[in-house]
Amino acid sequence: MDEWKLAMALLLTLSALRTSSSYRYASDDLRIDCGSSLDQTKPQPETYLKWKTDENFIKTGQNKLLPTNHTPAQLNTLRFFPKGRKNCYSLPLFTQYYKFLFRAGFLYDNYDGLSKPPSFHLEIDGHFWANVMTSLSEEPVFHEFLYIIQEKQATVCLVRTNDDEVPFISSLEATAQLSDSYKFVDNKTALYLHSRINYGAKKNVEQTIGSLDECCNRIWKSKTMPNYLNIHSETVPDGYLFYENTPPWPVMAYAIQAHNVTESIYLTVDLSPKTAVKAYLVLYFMDPIRRFPPNQTSSVEIYVDSVKLAVKDVPTFGSYEDMYHVATLFPVWVGGSVANVTISPAEGSTMGPILNAMEVFSAVDVSEGGRFSDFSALLIVFLHLLFLCLNCCK
Ligand SMILES: *[C@@H]1O[C@H](CO)[C@@H](O)[C@H](O)[C@H]1NC(C)=O
Ligand SMILES: *[C@@H]1O[C@H](CO)[C@@H](O)[C@H](O)[C@H]1NC(C)=O
Ligand SMILES: *[C@@H]1O[C@H](CO)[C@@H](O)[C@H](O)[C@H]1NC(C)=O
Ligand SMILES: *[C@@H]1O[C@H](CO)[C@@H](O)[C@H](O)[C@H]1NC(C)=O
């Protein structure tokens, strides 16, 4: 009899899966304000950024409004999951085989009054995405993943890892990227973001209401560095540049530069909590200053842990033929959780080396497992139970 009940439960699960995936209005820029009951999808003339409530994307969990106000406002509500090991959002997306940036936000803010910020796992299409460790701090935690979706949807799950810790989520975003950006990302390789830094700048660059500087929902964190010159162009154009990875103008118009042509820029990149990773580094170069007299040559050598991996010319602001150069370094094997990146003047360079921005990812192998194996496991269990039932009913 128990087998019958289980088989029926499985049948119901399978039909539930089918109905939930028949619900589609595909999007290429889906922003979900988890736990919110306020639908902001009504047209807002001044913005093209629309946050949706989450009721159409998940059936489980409970909404909660936080006791204090936060910016951005999406962090003011969350959805928590007191029941079940795995609770999943089903995101209908634009088209398959497309690169998407996924970002999940978490702000605990002691919503349950227990002062016990939980830890849990985040998965996408059955692939491990992150170990989420929340805290009592007012700072939200974000996890970002760049991944080619294999179907016209993605499934994002919160997975309980300790019996007494309840997973929750504050925001969930999925934004299509330009197809040729992050060129070594393919069907088997996804990227987990560690940092994306706009050097020499004092203000983050992100896609906000009224700003079209960032095309694709990336957040470029500003960072000035006291040991180097923090330089920028006289005027900062609006919008983004059109070549590799389409960086925003306010990212390329700011940079750090070593004081002179005999000095290097020394940076450490932190890949923790991961260790022994295949890193994916993207460095952006453009001299934001028009030099006078214009007879200078700028080019740089890039070293990771003392190994020279690339040499790049640094074009000058306003050279329209050749606006900026990008060094994409992949795969870079990093033994520990920290790597040393050195930008040195190349031979013939007459200026201190320059760096505008750097993105640090670790590569994630998504060729194995995932949704298909989840489903086939389910199917095998189901067939097994069917077999048992047929036997016991004879
Ligand atoms: C991913 O796989 C699909 C189907 O095999 C293929 O059409 C697509 O071009 C692949 N994309 C990349 C970036 O490899
Ligand atoms: C280059 O800059 C460094 C650091 O500011 C300084 O110690 C060094 O003397 C400078 N070298 C030259 C040739 O100006
Ligand atoms: C650039 O030109 C100026 C003046 O013509 C000269 O003094 C300087 O040495 C030149 N610099 C380089 C790097 O050739
Ligand atoms: C990185 O640089 C620091 C300081 O120079 C050094 O102690 C460390 O061993 C370097 N790490 C690697 C992996 O080369």
Side-chain angles (χ1 to χ4, degrees), residues 77-93:
T77 56
L78 57 80
R79 184 179 284 263
F80 65 102
F81 303 96
K83 287 190 194 144
R85 196 182 80 84
K86 221 186 225 199
N87 286 275
C88 302
Y89 279 82
S90 173
L91 311 178
L93 296 173

Side-chain angles (χ1 to χ4, degrees), residues 293-297 350:
N295 58 356
Q296 308 259 16
T297 309
T350 61

Side-chain angles (χ1 to χ4, degrees), residues 179-313:
S179 55
D180 51 1
S181 57
Y182 304 97
K183 58 189 177 186
F184 299 129
V185 170
D186 58 25
N187 287 327
K188 295 176 179 167
T189 310
L191 299 180
Y192 174 82
L193 179 76
H194 293 277
S195 58
R196 176 181 289 122
I197 296 175
N198 177 12
Y199 287 103
K202 291 202 176 97
K203 216 173 110 204
N204 290 356
V205 178
E206 58 187 289
Q207 202 170 11
T208 52
I209 294 167
S211 158
L212 294 171
D213 290 333
E214 163 57 29
C215 64
C216 313
N217 201 18
R218 296 167 294 187
I219 296 172
W220 304 80
K221 292 240 166 88
S222 62
K223 185 169 189 176
T224 54
M225 300 197 73
N227 293 340
Y228 304 105
L229 301 167
N230 293 273
I231 59 177
H232 60 87
S233 62
E234 265 174 47
T235 55
V236 180
D238 290 332
Y240 52 85
L241 290 98
F242 279 101
Y243 303 106
E244 195 170 345
N245 296 353
T246 56
W249 266 113
V251 170
M252 297 309 289
Y254 287 79
I256 49 171
Q257 183 177 26
H259 284 101
N260 56 50
V261 71
T262 58
E263 291 285 298
S264 293
I265 295 172
Y266 300 95
L267 301 167
T268 48
V269 302
D270 188 354
L271 296 142
S272 58
K274 298 199 177 180
T275 53
V277 299
K278 217 168 35 162
Y280 189 115
L281 308 180
V282 192
L283 296 91
Y284 297 81
F285 299 98
M286 180 180 90
D287 183 357
I289 295 175
R290 276 181 233 256
R291 309 281 171 177
F292 191 82
N295 58 356
Q296 308 259 16
T297 309
S298 179
S299 65
V300 295
E301 294 178 340
I302 306 157
Y303 295 81
V304 179
D305 289 344
S306 312
V307 181
K308 180 155 91 179
L309 296 181
V311 180
K312 289 284 165 186
D313 289 333

Side-chain angles (χ1 to χ4, degrees), residues 74-205:
Q74 295 81 43
L75 298 171
N76 286 335
T77 56
L78 57 80
R79 184 179 284 263
F80 65 102
F81 303 96
K83 287 190 194 144
R85 196 182 80 84
K86 221 186 225 199
N87 286 275
C88 302
Y89 279 82
S90 173
L91 311 178
L93 296 173
F94 182 46
T95 180
Q96 71 221 95
Y97 308 125
Y98 227 82
K99 261 171 225 168
F100 270 83
L101 174 156
F102 292 88
R103 182 163 50 236
F106 306 87
L107 181 64
Y108 172 62
D109 198 22
N110 198 19
Y111 79 88
D112 53 5
L114 298 174
S115 299
K116 261 195 77 186
S119 296
F120 45 89
H121 283 180
L122 194 59
E123 277 183 11
I124 184 159
D125 290 345
H127 305 291
F128 177 77
W129 169 355
N131 182 19
V132 181
M133 290 164 64
T134 63
S135 74
L136 286 170
S137 134
E138 289 289 292
E139 279 296 301
V141 175
F142 287 102
H143 289 279
E144 192 178 307
F145 205 67
L146 201 70
Y147 164 66
I148 296 183
I149 53 171
Q150 299 295 311
E151 291 179 41
K152 289 184 182 172
Q153 66 151 33
T155 304
V156 172
C157 301
L158 294 114
V159 186
R160 192 186 284 247
T161 48
N162 297 306
D163 285 344
D164 59 347
E165 297 183 31
V166 173
F168 72 88
I169 183 165
S170 309
S171 65
L172 183 59
E173 298 161 72
T175 308
Q177 303 295 295
L178 300 176
S179 55
D180 51 1
S181 57
Y182 304 97
K183 58 189 177 186
F184 299 129
V185 170
D186 58 25
N187 287 327
K188 295 176 179 167
T189 310
L191 299 180
Y192 174 82
L193 179 76
H194 293 277
S195 58
R196 176 181 289 122
I197 296 175
N198 177 12
Y199 287 103
K202 291 202 176 97
K203 216 173 110 204
N204 290 356
V205 178

Side-chain angles (χ1 to χ4, degrees), residues 9-80:
L10 268 172
L11 264 177
L12 288 175
T13 313
L14 284 176
S15 61
L17 279 175
R18 207 166 299 126
T19 27
S20 75
S21 62
S22 67
Y23 174 81
R24 291 188 191 285
Y25 57 95
S27 172
D28 61 354
D29 190 15
L30 185 57
R31 295 162 193 244
I32 301 176
D33 181 359
C34 305
S36 169
S37 55
L38 175 88
D39 200 334
Q40 301 174 320
T41 56
K42 53 183 175 292
Q44 291 165 316
E46 76 284 11
T47 167
Y48 57 98
L49 299 180
K50 291 178 184 161
W51 286 85
K52 292 177 166 32
T53 59
D54 59 3
E55 69 233 1
N56 289 328
F57 307 102
I58 192 160
K59 296 290 169 226
T60 55
Q62 284 168 245
N63 287 356
K64 187 81 188 180
L65 180 66
L66 295 189
T68 48
N69 251 324
H70 302 272
T71 339
Q74 295 81 43
L75 298 171
N76 286 335
T77 56
L78 57 80
R79 184 179 284 263
F80 65 102

